[in-house]
Amino acid sequence: MAVPLTLYVDAQFLSPYALSAYVALEEKGLDFEVRQIDLEQGDQRTAPFLHRSPIGKVPVLAHLDFYLSESSAIAEYLEQAFPPPEYATLYPADPRPRAQARQVQSWLRSDLHALRRDRPTEVVFEGARPAPLSDAGLCDAARLVRVASSLLAQGQAHLFGAWSLADLDLALMLNRLAVPGDELPETLREYAQAQWDHPGVRRWLASRG
C-alpha cells in the first residue's frame, strides 16, 4: 500500500530547499505527490497553507496528518521514518562523516548570503544573466571555492565516499558560479555538473516544464 506523502514546493520550482527535499524523497524511492504553492500570488499566506506550515515557507512535507517544514528537518525525518536497508540512505552510515555532511549542509544554508543574493537560483534554473559579482559576493565565492576544494581535495566523486544529500546542496551552490560562467576550478565545475545528473535532480528539472 502506497505511503500517503505530499511535498509542497514553490510553483516556480526555484527553491533550493524544496529541491533538496524533493531529491531526498526520490532517493528514498518513495511515492509522493507534489503540490505547488504560488509564492508570487501569496499562497503561502493563506489559512490552509499556514495550517500546514505556521512559518509560511516551502518546502512542507505531509505524511498522513503530520506536517513538517524546513528541508533539513524533512531529510532527518525521512531518514528515521524510512530507514535503510529497506530504503536508501541520505547520509553516511558512520556517525562522523554523517555529522560532517550535516555540517556542510548547515553552513551552506546559513552563510554565503552575498553570493546567494548576487546569484539567485533563477541563474541556475532559468539561465538568468546576472550582473558581475559584488565585492561581498566575490569574497563569498572565494570562500566557497576554498572550502569545496578542501573537502574534495583528493578529486573524489562525492564528499564522504558514497553520494549524500550534502553533495546536492554543495553542487547547487557551486552551480551559482558554474552556470553563469564565473571563475571556478575545473574540478569543482565537473563535480557540480556530475551531481546535477542525479536522477532526482533530472526529474525536478523536468517538472519545471
Side-chain angles (χ1 to χ4, degrees):
M1 182 177 179
V3 178
L5 291 162
T6 301
L7 183 67
Y8 294 81
V9 306
D10 58 307
Q12 293 74 31
F13 286 83
L14 290 171
S15 168
Y17 312 113
L19 168 62
S20 185
Y22 181 95
V23 172
L25 285 159
E26 288 278 356
E27 182 68 13
K28 285 287 184 185
L30 296 165
D31 292 328
F32 64 100
E33 177 186 357
V34 172
R35 293 189 184 176
Q36 299 176 26
I37 301 299
D38 194 330
L39 304 181
E40 294 181 355
Q41 295 298 319
D43 288 357
Q44 72 276 21
R45 294 189 291 273
T46 62
F49 186 73
L50 289 173
H51 171 71
R52 299 177 177 91
S53 174
I55 60 177
K57 295 168 60 178
V58 295
V60 174
L61 177 71
H63 182 198
L64 298 171
D65 59 350
F66 174 68
Y67 298 98
L68 187 65
S69 301
E70 298 292 337
S71 59
S72 56
I74 290 171
E76 185 172 351
Y77 175 73
L78 292 174
E79 192 77 328
Q80 295 178 351
F82 305 97
E86 183 177 358
Y87 299 94
T89 184
L90 303 176
Y91 295 100
D94 186 82
R96 290 187 176 183
R98 175 179 289 246
Q100 288 177 314
R102 288 175 169 161
Q103 172 185 260
V104 169
Q105 288 185 294
S106 178
W107 175 64
L108 291 170
R109 283 164 166 74
S110 62
D111 204 343
L112 305 175
H113 302 291
L115 178 57
R116 284 187 271 146
R117 182 182 61 248
D118 289 356
R119 295 292 181 268
T121 50
E122 286 86 346
V123 170
V124 178
F125 295 124
E126 297 183 342
R129 297 179 63 84
L133 287 165
S134 63
D135 288 346
L138 285 168
C139 290
D140 277 359
R143 194 146 46 94
L144 172 63
V145 168
R146 176 180 59 80
V147 172
S149 297
S150 175
L151 291 169
L152 298 164
Q154 305 305 316
Q156 61 265 37
H158 305 294
L159 286 169
F160 305 106
W163 180 91
S164 77
L165 208 54
D167 285 295
L168 168 66
D169 290 350
L170 179 58
L172 176 58
M173 192 63 75
L174 290 170
N175 273 328
R176 294 177 190 263
L177 298 174
V179 172
D182 290 305
E183 185 175 348
L184 190 68
E186 189 60 28
T187 53
L188 296 182
R189 191 179 300 274
E190 291 174 354
Y191 164 83
Q193 184 176 13
Q195 300 305 323
W196 227 234
D197 198 41
H198 187 282
V201 177
R202 292 203 304 267
R203 293 190 185 97
W204 170 270
L205 295 175
S207 296
R208 302 191 77 253

